[in-house]
Amino acid sequence: MAGEVDLVNAALRKVGHKAISAVSDTTPAGAIASDVLAFERDDLLRSYTWNFAVARSDLAPLAGGNVPVFEFD
């Protein structure tokens, strides 16, 4: 799985910049990456209902023993 630095470096390669070693790198590219990475990641996650980003939790059973036929609404 690609980490944050791998994703940033893939983007940097596409625009012709050298790779960075950490998002907190002191290079101009590293400074921009540390400024925008979290915002852009969160914006992308909010743009679609991604299966891996959906939180699930166990719910208490219904009173009376009623069991839903399919998933909860």
Side-chain angles (χ1 to χ4, degrees), residues 2-23:
E4 290 179 337
V5 175
D6 298 324
L7 294 173
V8 169
N9 283 332
L12 288 171
R13 279 192 302 275
K14 287 186 179 259
V15 295
H17 282 277
K18 293 181 181 178
I20 61 173
S21 58
V23 176

Side-chain angles (χ1 to χ4, degrees), residues 7 10 15 20 22 26-27 33 37-38 52-54 57-59 64-65:
L7 294 173
V15 295
I20 61 173
T26 58
T27 63
L37 181 65
F52 70 89
V54 174
S57 66
D58 292 326
L59 301 175

Side-chain angles (χ1 to χ4, degrees), residues 9-48:
N9 283 332
L12 288 171
R13 279 192 302 275
K14 287 186 179 259
V15 295
H17 282 277
K18 293 181 181 178
I20 61 173
S21 58
V23 176
S24 59
D25 217 0
T26 58
T27 63
I32 292 170
S34 70
D35 283 346
V36 301
L37 181 65
F39 173 80
E40 294 298 332
R41 178 200 59 221
D42 294 348
D43 187 51
L44 181 61
L45 286 173
R46 285 186 203 105
S47 69
Y48 184 76

